[in-house]
């Protein structure tokens, strides 16, 4: 979440940034936060005064008793009790204001970076670059949802039988392709200096709040009834929360972590070709990269992460393009996001396969994740993450773009992982 001090000092800039997200009442939201903070400070000042007075006069009780001034001592006791009651009321009021202030801050998304343009929908996103040649397929080309049936590699009906819609079963060479992508992505991440983590795929409420999935995206997460536990929507949540409440030495930066996990999201369910087959699922596999960086170096790190993810797409021989998201399409917690989209030759459309984002201090403020500089002063860190990569749409594009009358060619970089060159 945003820091109150920054909103107070940079109110005009914050309002300008939030207007890029089409938040027309941005000034009122910020004014409300500042007013609550003023009230919190006033209550704290009053509480401190009451506690100081109570502490001061309570020390006189013993002296008065020794001097035989029992009546005066009793009066002081009564006054002390009154002050304690008053301090209790003030503490309760202060706690309520703290809660209200936090909840108000939760309602305000991150301030977009100055490079982010105003926009409302994904069509307003900026196309920064396009790479690779779109393949020309033979006349009998098919979409991946037909190819998977022809080659018996993924079964949606079996998934419906044992779980429900959006939970496919991968079979034979389809399962081997999943394993190949997993190992390829993790091996490449390790080469880039990301330390592999195998985290839990269930997180508590505090973890969801720490990275911003809660309370903003509560309706998109699977909640385990009668617990405060949730199935993860992305490995970003558990691996970033490894550093919650930590103070990092400056010389230990950056911290680069990666993890493979299944991911679970309730967002699927609408009808149409844009969500058909592997285009959108309730459960899918993904390798995530997370970086915790010094504020002065985080945007350099963002470019490096973007270039790395693009290198994976190039090695997979997939045509792709890079977009910078507009304010209206920007995630709640992100300051700047690049999307990578691959060309799906049979569907003849671009499919988003990765987002890489800089959250600046938005997550670290929630996480209380700080670093200690050479002067031993503590500062909030910047956090970044990216999909490197999500499997379903990558697999969909590989199947569609590499289909021939002979079979489906496996990208050369994956063949040592799959043990086969063709799906036939």
């Amino acid at each position: 979440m945003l820091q109150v001090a920054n909103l107070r000092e940079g109110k005009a800039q914050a309002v300008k940034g939030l207007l890029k997200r089409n938040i027309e009442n941005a000034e009122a939201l910020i004014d409300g936060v500042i007013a609550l903070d003023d009230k919190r400070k006033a209550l704290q000042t009053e509480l401190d005064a009451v506690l100081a007075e109570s502490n001061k006069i309570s020390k006189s009780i013993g002296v008065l008793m020794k001097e035989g001034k029992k009546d005066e001592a009793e009066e002081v006791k009564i006054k002390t009790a009154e002050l304690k009651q008053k301090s209790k009321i003030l503490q309760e009021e202060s706690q309520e204001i703290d809660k209200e202030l936090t909840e108000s801050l939760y309602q305000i998304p991150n301030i977009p970076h100055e490079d982010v343009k105003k926009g409302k929908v994904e069509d307003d996103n900026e196309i920064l670059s396009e790479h690779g040649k779109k393949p020309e397929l033979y006349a009998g080309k098919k979409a991946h949802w037909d190819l998977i049936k022809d080659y018996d590699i993924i079964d949606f009906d079996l998934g419906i039988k044992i779980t429900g819609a959006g939970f496919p079963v991968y079979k034979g060479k389809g399962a081997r392709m999943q394993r190949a992508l997993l190992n390829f992505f993790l091996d490449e991440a390790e080469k880039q200096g990301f330390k592999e983590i195998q985290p839990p795929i269930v997180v508590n409420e505090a973890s969801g709040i720490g990275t911003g999935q809660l309370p903003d995206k509560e309706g998109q997460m699977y909640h385990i009834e009668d617990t405060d536990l949730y199935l993860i929507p992305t490995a970003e949540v558990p691996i970033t929360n490894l550093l919650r409440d930590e103070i990092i030495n400056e010389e230990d930066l950056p911290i680069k972590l990666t993890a493979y996990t299944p991911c679970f999201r309730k967002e699927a369910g609408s009808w149409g070709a844009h969500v058909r087959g592997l285009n959108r699922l309730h459960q899918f596999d993904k390798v995530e990269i997370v970086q915790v960086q010094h504020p002065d170096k985080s945007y350099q790190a963002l470019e490096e992460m973007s270039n790395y993810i693009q290198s994976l797409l190039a090695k997979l021989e997939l045509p792709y393009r890079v977009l910078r998201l507009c304010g209206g399409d920007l995630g709640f917690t992100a300051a700047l996001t690049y999307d990578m989209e691959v060309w799906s030759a049979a569907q003849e459309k671009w499919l988003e396969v990765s987002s890489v984002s800089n959250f600046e201090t938005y997550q670290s403020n929630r996480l209380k994740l700080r670093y200690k500089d050479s002067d031993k002063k503590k500062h909030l860190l910047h956090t970044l993450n990216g999909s490197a990569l999500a499997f379903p749409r990558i697999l969909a594009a590989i199947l569609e773009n590499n289909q021939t009358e002979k079979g489906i060619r496996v990208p050369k970089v994956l063949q040592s992982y799959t043990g086969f060159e063709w799906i036939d």
Side-chain angles (χ1 to χ4, degrees), residues 2 20 24 49 56 86 105 107 114 126 151 155-156 200 256 274 297 328 331 334 350 355 363 402 419:
L2 299 169
K20 291 181 180 182
E24 302 301 330
K56 179 180 177 181
K86 187 174 182 180
L105 285 168
Q107 303 305 311
E114 60 183 9
E126 299 177 84
Y151 294 100
D155 197 318
F156 279 89
K256 301 171 70 175
H274 68 291
K297 299 178 180 178
W350 293 98
S355 291
Q363 288 183 334
N402 294 286

Side-chain angles (χ1 to χ4, degrees), residues 100-111:
E100 190 176 349
L101 176 59
T102 299
E103 289 175 351
S104 294
L105 285 168
Y106 283 164
Q107 303 305 311
I108 304 176
N110 204 351
I111 307 299

Side-chain angles (χ1 to χ4, degrees), residues 281-299:
L281 302 173
H282 286 307
Q283 178 182 332
F284 60 95
D285 294 316
K286 181 155 67 87
V287 169
E288 192 82 358
I289 53 174
V290 168
Q291 194 164 164
V292 176
Q293 197 36 291
H294 190 286
D296 294 343
K297 299 178 180 178
S298 68
Y299 277 96

Side-chain angles (χ1 to χ4, degrees), residues 30-70:
I30 294 171
D31 284 342
V33 164
I34 293 171
L36 285 170
D37 190 50
D38 288 339
K39 189 172 181 180
R40 179 190 63 81
K41 288 179 178 179
L43 279 171
Q44 188 61 52
T45 299
E46 186 177 359
L47 176 59
D48 289 343
V50 170
L51 291 173
E53 183 181 0
S54 177
N55 186 54
K56 179 180 177 181
I57 67 173
S58 64
K59 291 178 180 179
S60 68
I61 295 174
V63 176
L64 292 170
M65 291 294 288
K66 286 181 180 179
E67 293 175 353
K69 300 176 180 178
K70 293 183 179 181

Side-chain angles (χ1 to χ4, degrees), residues 19 27 44 79 139 149 235 242 322 347 350 354:
L19 285 174
E27 186 168 6
Q44 188 61 52
K79 179 64 174 177
K149 291 180 180 179
L242 293 173
V322 182
Q347 297 178 68
W350 293 98
S354 176

